[in-house]
Amino acid sequence: MSDSDRIDQFRKMAEADPDNELGHFSLGKAYLDAGLTQPAIESFERVIQLNPNIAKVYQLLATALLKENRKDEAIGRLTRGVEIAAAKGDLMPKNEMVKMLKDLGQVVPESAAAVSEQAIGEGELLCSRCGKVRNKMPSQPFSSALGKLIFEKVCAGCWCEWIGMGTKVINELRLPLNDPKAQKIFDQQMTEFLNLR
Ligand SMILES: [Zn+2]
């Protein structure tokens, strides 16, 4: 799919369901990939308004801001992103944002950079989406490597949320799921929603 097809598709999704953070997130990424930084910034700002706790959005927003030479704003977003990622135990975006801050000549305080440790009991996990220690699903949602990853990383509550969201994604993107390309887009939306990217 070309960049402009992706932009069209996700723009429709964001317009059809304006409070759906996933549509704005995907649209922002499509804009950023196409080099359209100004609309990318607007989409990512909208995601943060809808859900301020997705660490990866701060990283993408800062990347777009830096392309527009808006360094101070990028530093502000990265600093906030590191705090959120640390609180959620979201290691990958945290390390990437710490590195971006260092490249910008910023000193990252160790306290902000430390990943919080939460006690995890039997049948529980630290959920990649909500960042909280919550109940696991009783079993894998489906049998594949992705199903196993979801079982190991996503809490039962967030999985239920995705089931509702997945129906919306199929309807809004008009995905024919017997088409492997559509299946790939669907899986990508799911991984993004569950914060498994
Ligand atoms: Zn969760």
Side-chain angles (χ1 to χ4, degrees):
M1 218 187 326
S2 73
D3 281 346
S4 67
D5 287 347
R6 279 177 67 215
I7 289 171
D8 276 351
Q9 192 174 37
F10 292 129
R11 189 192 284 132
K12 276 185 208 142
M13 185 173 165
E15 281 169 1
D17 190 7
D19 295 334
N20 177 352
E21 71 207 41
L22 190 59
H24 297 285
F25 181 88
S26 300
L27 179 59
K29 277 211 328 195
Y31 279 136
L32 190 60
D33 290 345
L36 299 167
T37 43
Q38 191 52 49
I41 290 168
E42 285 165 24
S43 293
F44 293 138
E45 296 280 12
R46 183 80 190 113
V47 177
I48 291 174
Q49 282 173 3
L50 292 167
N51 180 353
N53 292 314
I54 309 172
K56 184 82 188 170
V57 178
Y58 293 82
Q59 186 188 347
L60 292 169
L61 174 56
T63 305
L65 287 166
L66 287 173
K67 290 198 170 145
E68 296 275 318
N69 285 320
R70 290 159 67 177
K71 188 177 159 187
D72 289 348
E73 287 166 85
I75 290 170
R77 290 309 197 174
L78 287 170
T79 306
R80 185 78 194 107
V82 168
E83 287 167 11
I84 288 166
K88 289 181 65 179
D90 224 346
L91 269 180
M92 217 184 343
K94 183 188 79 84
N95 291 340
E96 285 167 13
M97 287 189 282
V98 165
K99 182 173 182 304
M100 284 171 81
L101 280 169
K102 283 184 180 156
D103 290 347
L104 290 164
Q106 299 298 302
V107 180
V108 182
E110 263 318 301
S111 59
V115 167
S116 72
E117 286 197 23
Q118 304 184 52
I120 300 173
E122 180 131 7
E124 292 182 330
L125 49 70
L126 179 61
C127 175
S128 63
R129 169 156 170 88
C130 62
K132 293 176 184 139
V133 175
R134 287 280 153 85
N135 286 333
K136 296 173 82 163
M137 284 172 256
S139 58
Q140 263 185 237
F142 47 89
S143 58
S144 70
L146 184 55
K148 184 163 183 281
L149 181 70
I150 290 169
F151 179 62
E152 285 166 359
K153 302 266 183 195
V154 177
C155 76
C158 286
W159 177 249
C160 279
E161 263 189 68
W162 164 253
I163 292 173
M165 183 63 75
T167 310
K168 282 187 179 184
V169 167
I170 292 171
N171 291 336
E172 281 155 21
L173 295 180
R174 294 184 184 85
L175 295 177
L177 284 186
N178 50 355
D179 170 0
K181 263 196 290 187
Q183 182 67 51
K184 207 175 146 215
I185 295 171
F186 181 79
D187 285 353
Q188 199 184 347
Q189 291 285 301
M190 179 165 69
T191 340
E192 273 167 8
F193 183 82
L194 300 174
N195 196 27
L196 294 168
R197 46 199 168 259

